[in-house]
Amino acid sequence: MIGLFIIFMGVGILLCILGAIMYKYKKIEMLSLYDVRKKYDREGLAKAAGTDLITMGILTCIVTIVFIIVPGINIFIFGIVFTFIITFYSIKATKELKKYEIQ
């Protein structure tokens, strides 16, 4: 069971690293909905998407630590919380993509 939580902690750390790379180096090409035919505000989009990735990673690490420390919490509840965090911030980042599109 602890191995599963180590994997989730690794996912959280990976999300933080990817968010920091996107935020610092403006690598918006890493986004799944990035379209090379359109122009984007690189600075704003990198900041928004990078911040969302970092937040996802930090929340994933926090939730993982809480579930490791507190005994007796069902793994099913952990899965629901993890899925909610990832889904919420993924949808938020997708909606923000349109805001930074330059016409």
Side-chain angles (χ1 to χ4, degrees), residues 3-46:
L4 181 66
F5 290 116
I6 291 172
I7 291 171
F8 279 104
M9 185 66 76
V11 169
I13 292 169
L14 180 65
L15 286 171
C16 287
I17 291 170
L18 290 174
I21 289 170
M22 185 175 298
Y23 187 88
K24 184 172 181 170
Y25 298 110
K26 315 297 184 254
K27 296 287 186 183
I28 61 173
E29 295 82 14
M30 294 187 325
L31 296 171
S32 63
L33 292 177
Y34 178 76
D35 188 1
V36 294
R37 296 172 289 175
K38 296 180 182 176
K39 293 193 182 265
Y40 297 96
D41 172 16
R42 288 186 78 84
E43 186 78 26
L45 182 57

Side-chain angles (χ1 to χ4, degrees), residues 55-72:
T55 305
M56 268 194 281
I58 290 172
L59 288 176
T60 299
C61 289
I62 289 171
V63 168
T64 303
I65 291 170
V66 167
F67 276 89
I68 289 173
I69 293 173
V70 178

